[in-house]
Amino acid sequence: MDLPILTTTTEPMMRTSQPTAVTLEDQRIPVRAKLAATWTSFMFLYAYVDILNFFTPGVVADILDGKVFEFDLSQTFSTTALTLVAIPILMVVLSMTLPARANRITNLIVASLYVPVTAFNAVGESWLYFYGLGIVLELILLALIVRYAWTWPHAAPSATATATATATSPDRAAVRAQQQA
């Protein structure tokens, strides 16, 4: 391998053949994959913030006494908690399988609804740095989901659809007739 020769003179240097820089291919990632990956990241944060919360002093004792935050532990509480966790989990699958239009709308709605749910987690917490970081990261991921869904690329109309639309469009027919006259 030839290494470049460094010089401090202003004379032209003799060039030797050097290997060209290798450019990595940057493939376009489908919107579905971006959404599924972002929901997966959201779920990891969502779960780990709750898991790491067990290390907060008094939390386990409160759970053993039948309380989580201000709520009594009950079947209703557990069902609600499961639902709040299950929806983002299902969004991973739905982001990969729903038809594009339904996918876009579902992601916009669900991510938008999870913004206040996520922000609510800060209410009454004493460990604001811990929860604050978790909430900010979750909100960033939700914003990415909304952005990916909102900017979902539109398919270019096919040549046959364009030709059919052009032929049947009364505005275009009138313009064409005026141009030929």
Side-chain angles (χ1 to χ4, degrees):
M1 177 168 131
D2 294 332
L3 295 176
I5 300 170
L6 298 176
T7 180
T8 56
T9 66
T10 56
E11 297 174 17
M13 256 200 305
M14 187 170 146
R15 299 215 175 219
T16 58
S17 67
Q18 295 180 1
T20 58
V22 176
T23 304
L24 298 175
E25 183 179 357
D26 195 13
Q27 296 179 342
R28 184 174 170 155
I29 299 170
V31 176
R32 292 174 190 276
K34 287 180 184 180
L35 289 167
T38 310
W39 278 113
T40 302
S41 297
F42 178 83
M43 278 312 309
F44 274 114
L45 275 169
Y46 203 71
Y48 275 98
V49 166
D50 285 348
I51 291 167
L52 292 172
N53 183 50
F54 290 136
F55 298 104
T56 305
V59 169
V60 174
D62 286 347
I63 292 171
L64 293 175
D65 287 339
K67 284 255 188 230
V68 173
F69 181 52
E70 296 292 325
F71 303 105
D72 290 328
L73 283 175
S74 64
Q75 185 165 300
T76 302
F77 174 83
S78 294
T79 303
T80 303
L82 178 61
T83 302
L84 286 173
V85 173
I87 291 170
I89 290 171
L90 293 173
M91 288 306 297
V92 175
V93 175
L94 293 175
S95 293
M96 292 300 290
T97 57
L98 283 176
R101 184 176 172 85
N103 201 331
R104 179 176 188 255
I105 292 168
T106 303
N107 273 281
L108 287 170
I109 291 170
V110 174
S112 297
L113 290 174
Y114 265 78
V115 169
V117 169
T118 299
F120 173 77
N121 288 326
V123 174
E125 289 301 330
S126 59
W127 284 34
L128 286 181
Y129 293 133
F130 169 72
Y131 269 101
L133 177 60
I135 290 167
V136 165
L137 294 173
E138 289 173 9
L139 289 173
I140 288 169
L141 290 170
L142 290 170
L144 280 173
I145 291 166
V146 169
R147 180 177 181 267
Y148 294 149
W150 187 262
T151 61
W152 193 301
H154 295 278
S158 66
T160 359
T162 305
T164 305
T166 303
T168 59
S169 171
D171 297 334
R172 295 206 185 260
V175 169
R176 195 175 311 119
Q178 289 175 353
Q179 289 174 344
Q180 290 174 351

